[in-house]
Amino acid sequence: MTIDAEVQALSRVPLFQGLEPSKLRLLAFISDRMEFQDGEHLCHQGDDGDSAFVVLSGEVAVFVDENEVARVGQYAIIGEIAILCDVPRTATLQSVGTTHILAISKDDFLKLIAEFPKVSLEIMRVLALRLEKTTRELAQARPAST
C-alpha cells in the first residue's frame, strides 16, 4: 500500500476526518504498516498498550477473556483505550483473514490528541458510543428478577 493510499484510508477513519491532508500524510509516514494472517494476534489482553491500530483492510475479532465480543473492519481504530488510560490491553485482537494495519505509537497518538482537540472530542464520542452499546448489551443479558 502506498503512502497516498494510507492517507486516503486515514481520511476515512472518523477520528481523523477533520485533519488536513498534510497531517494525515505525516501520521501515515510515522505509523508502522503491518500485515496479519488469519488467526494472528495483534495484541493480547493484559499486554502493555504501546500503540493504537487502524484497520486499513480486512477484519479484526475482539476477544475479552477468550470470548469474542466484537468484530471491526476497515477504517476502525482499536487499541486506543490502553494508551489513553495507561492500563493493560483490555482485549485480545485477532486477525480474521488477511488484515492490513497501521500501528500508531502511544507517543505519536498522544501528540496528535494534544495538537488537535477535535480528535479528542471524536475519541470521547467513539468511546461513549462503545460504552452505551456495552451497557445496553449487559442490560439485555441480565436475567429478569422475579
Side-chain angles (χ1 to χ4, degrees), residues 3-52:
I3 193 124
D4 289 332
E6 291 170 359
V7 169
Q8 181 66 21
L10 285 171
S11 73
R12 299 179 95 172
V13 175
L15 258 76
F16 305 137
Q17 285 179 343
L19 296 181
E20 57 192 67
S22 63
K23 298 298 182 187
L24 292 174
R25 181 172 291 283
L26 177 61
L27 183 59
F29 183 74
I30 62 175
S31 299
D32 292 322
R33 283 147 286 298
M34 306 170 88
E35 178 179 294
F36 294 88
Q37 299 305 313
D38 188 45
E40 283 189 277
H41 291 107
L42 285 69
C43 65
H44 295 273
Q45 186 175 354
D47 288 352
D48 287 337
D50 59 355
S51 58

Side-chain angles (χ1 to χ4, degrees), residues 44 82 91 99 110 129 136:
H44 295 273
T99 305
L110 294 177
L129 287 170
R136 186 173 11 91

Side-chain angles (χ1 to χ4, degrees), residues 1 9 25 38 48 51 54 78 81 90 143:
M1 181 174 266
R25 181 172 291 283
D38 188 45
D48 287 337
S51 58
V54 175
I78 47 180
I81 292 173
T90 59

